[in-house]
Amino acid sequence: MSFKQFHLHPSIESAIRRIGYTEPTPIQRQTVPLILQGKDLMGLAQTGTGKTAAFVLPILHRLQAGPRRQPRVLILAPTRELAEQIHEAIGELGRDTGLKSVTVYGGVNKNPQIQKLHAGAEIIVACPGRLLDLADQGAIPFSGLEILVIDEADRMLDMGFMPDIRKIVKRLPAKRQTLLFSATMPEDIQKLAKAILHEPAIIRAGEGKPASTVSHAVYPVEHHLKTSLLMTLIERTETEAVLVFARTKHRTKSVATKMKRAGFSVASLQGDLSQNRRQDAIEGFRSGKYRILVATDIAARGIDVTRISHVINYDMPDTVEAFTHRIGRAGRAEKTGDAFTLVTPQDRSFLSGIEHVLGETIERRTLEGFDYAAPVPAGSGAAAPARSFGVRRIPAGGSGRDREVQGARSHWNGPACKGARKAAPRSLDGFPLRLRSAQAK
Ligand code: AMP
């Protein structure tokens, strides 16, 4: 099937040709005609499926007719990176349409955003908090709004944005088209969908499962050897861009620093960075200045780098959804990619959960010649877990996962662990507290 069949405005067709998309991805095939018809839609789609263009293309087409330089479309995204990515996609796909989009998100000066809104734009791509802030100041007239898009709704839920989203929706005209995208469908998202969508079409593209173009492998390793295994693995693997996930800001920084010292081309991305350094990390990774980016889940949200050949989970994620999102970074738009996960003995039960969702056992690999028996460096403060992947003491009581948490904790009670545990930041980028302690080292 070609894009021709959508009968998009010639200015949009020319952009598609210029960018080089030859045929629509499965989600685009399904959603574009429905959005063009003005239908509400619930799209179960993960990042990497081409979902941004799936809603941007028909929206640009619909905006061709009607008033200009006033807000007609609102796109809500959980992070500024994702907002920027959507804004860029609109810029590229809508280059010949004369339509304008502005981004609105916190952490930066409000005034330039207000000025751009005053200058007039048809599309606002926003994070909920700052949007409400500016709306309260009267900077955003919602009365002419025709289309609302909520992207990565499940991530918004994780980040506590649901009350803000509900407040925003209340301010919008009731007669509008609403599109809701989510990689997963927790109960709260179902409730939201029920409340705000009118007879929606439901589209599924790779729901709940990581992109099928990604091949997985796990590398069992003791905790204190993770960084050296990571470096050896990257050294020995032919890669393009490599995205490494660590669990906390602190660990993200420390892994990147160690890699840098060892001579790797690496940047780190986590919530503590200034906007300039964040931009340098993202742009540098995108342009190839940095081959490796070490990031937390939240910080890496929305990073759109088509060259990512490998995603490496330095730390196991805390939820299967987070795993799915991470893996969606590799193998984007039906390219192939590899996902490697370093697994310590503490991570084993969680790994079983992921394998259950994937419906397959992930291949276990060992790196030939790597010294898996190397001792914990003296005075490193590195916490050493139990030295084997064998039987672990799991106290009775609690759910399976809780028990796993307690079991994991029991390994961390020795004197070597104390400092390290204290150093573990309390805020782990918005993940459920339930499982954090299992991996807080
Ligand atoms: P997304 O799922 O929106 O994050 O998109 C993932 C990547 O796929 C982005 O880099 C897009 O530029 C790219 N992409 C979107 N649609 C297509 C298409 N029809 N053909 C090739 N690449 C695409």
Side-chain angles (χ1 to χ4, degrees), residues 3 21-25 28 46-53 85 304 306 332-333:
F3 279 99
Y21 297 167
T22 48
E23 56 173 346
T25 64
Q28 291 163 1
Q46 56 187 313
T47 310
T49 51
K51 77 174 156 64
T52 313
Q85 180 198 322
D304 179 21
T306 35
R332 292 167 76 71

Side-chain angles (χ1 to χ4, degrees), residues 1-3 5-6 22-37 41 49-51 53-55 57-58 203 205 334:
M1 182 193 180
S2 96
F3 279 99
Q5 293 179 32
F6 297 139
T22 48
E23 56 173 346
T25 64
I27 188 161
Q28 291 163 1
R29 276 200 285 279
Q30 296 178 79
T31 55
V32 172
L34 292 164
I35 300 175
L36 287 173
Q37 284 166 31
L41 191 133
T49 51
K51 77 174 156 64
F55 62 79
L57 288 169
I203 300 296
E334 318 198 339

Side-chain angles (χ1 to χ4, degrees), residues 46 154-155 158 183-184 206-211 216 297 301 313 316-328 349-359 362 401 431-432 434-435 439:
Q46 56 187 313
D154 51 352
R155 187 53 61 169
D158 283 354
T184 56
E207 175 198 358
K209 286 194 178 186
H216 303 263
D297 289 82
R301 214 59 207 150
N313 293 313
M316 195 65 135
D318 286 351
T319 61
V320 177
E321 288 79 12
F323 183 82
T324 304
H325 277 290
R326 287 181 180 185
I327 301 313
S349 79
F350 187 68
L351 177 63
S352 316
I354 285 174
E355 290 180 322
H356 182 72
V357 171
L358 287 173
I362 305 177
R401 269 191 175 173
F431 281 122
R434 204 162 33 99
L435 278 171
Q439 295 170 337

Side-chain angles (χ1 to χ4, degrees), residues 3-4 8-21 57 92-97:
F3 279 99
K4 280 251 168 264
L8 294 166
H9 192 273
S11 62
I12 304 169
E13 284 189 340
S14 66
I16 294 172
R17 276 197 302 276
R18 191 180 54 239
I19 294 167
Y21 297 167
L57 288 169
E92 282 180 14
L93 294 166
R95 202 168 89 181
D96 308 327
T97 60

Side-chain angles (χ1 to χ4, degrees), residues 171-327:
R171 297 184 183 203
L172 306 181
K175 191 173 167 311
R176 56 160 202 271
Q177 180 178 19
T178 307
L179 316 172
L180 193 146
F181 291 90
S182 194
T184 56
M185 261 298 241
E187 208 182 316
D188 283 346
I189 299 295
Q190 291 177 37
K191 276 192 204 151
L192 178 75
K194 229 178 176 172
I196 67 169
L197 299 176
H198 176 67
E199 297 178 0
I202 297 171
I203 300 296
R204 290 164 207 272
E207 175 198 358
K209 286 194 178 186
S212 57
T213 48
V214 175
S215 68
H216 303 263
V218 299
Y219 287 82
V221 63
E222 299 295 348
H223 175 69
H224 67 285
L225 295 174
K226 276 169 118 178
T227 311
S228 59
L229 183 80
L230 172 73
M231 295 199 270
T232 314
L233 189 55
I234 294 178
E235 259 167 14
R236 293 201 198 159
T237 311
E238 217 173 277
T239 70
E240 290 184 57
V242 182
L243 182 55
V244 177
F245 283 99
R247 194 174 25 79
T248 66
K249 295 174 190 175
H250 172 74
R251 289 162 68 77
T252 303
K253 272 186 265 186
S254 105
V255 172
T257 307
K258 282 182 192 148
M259 293 186 80
K260 202 169 180 178
R261 271 194 217 126
F264 286 89
S265 158
V266 58
S268 76
L269 186 66
Q270 33 77 24
D272 283 347
L273 296 182
S274 66
Q275 186 63 15
N276 280 350
R277 294 191 53 195
R278 170 186 293 267
Q279 215 61 42
D280 172 67
I282 294 174
E283 285 309 319
F285 187 51
R286 193 173 287 162
S287 67
K289 176 176 158 198
Y290 305 115
R291 177 174 153 230
I292 303 158
L293 185 72
V294 188
T296 57
D297 289 82
I298 296 293
R301 214 59 207 150
I303 288 182
D304 179 21
V305 177
T306 35
R307 295 178 308 106
I308 295 176
S309 64
H310 290 74
V311 166
I312 304 182
N313 293 313
Y314 175 86
D315 289 317
M316 195 65 135
D318 286 351
T319 61
V320 177
E321 288 79 12
F323 183 82
T324 304
H325 277 290
R326 287 181 180 185
I327 301 313

Side-chain angles (χ1 to χ4, degrees), residues 335-378:
K335 282 191 182 174
T336 55
D338 285 322
F340 298 150
T341 303
L342 309 193
V343 179
T344 66
Q346 285 71 29
D347 300 326
R348 285 201 318 185
S349 79
F350 187 68
L351 177 63
S352 316
I354 285 174
E355 290 180 322
H356 182 72
V357 171
L358 287 173
E360 63 186 65
T361 305
I362 305 177
E363 183 192 343
R364 269 66 171 164
R365 288 190 196 160
T366 47
L367 263 191
E368 219 172 289
F370 181 79
D371 184 7
Y372 283 94
V376 180

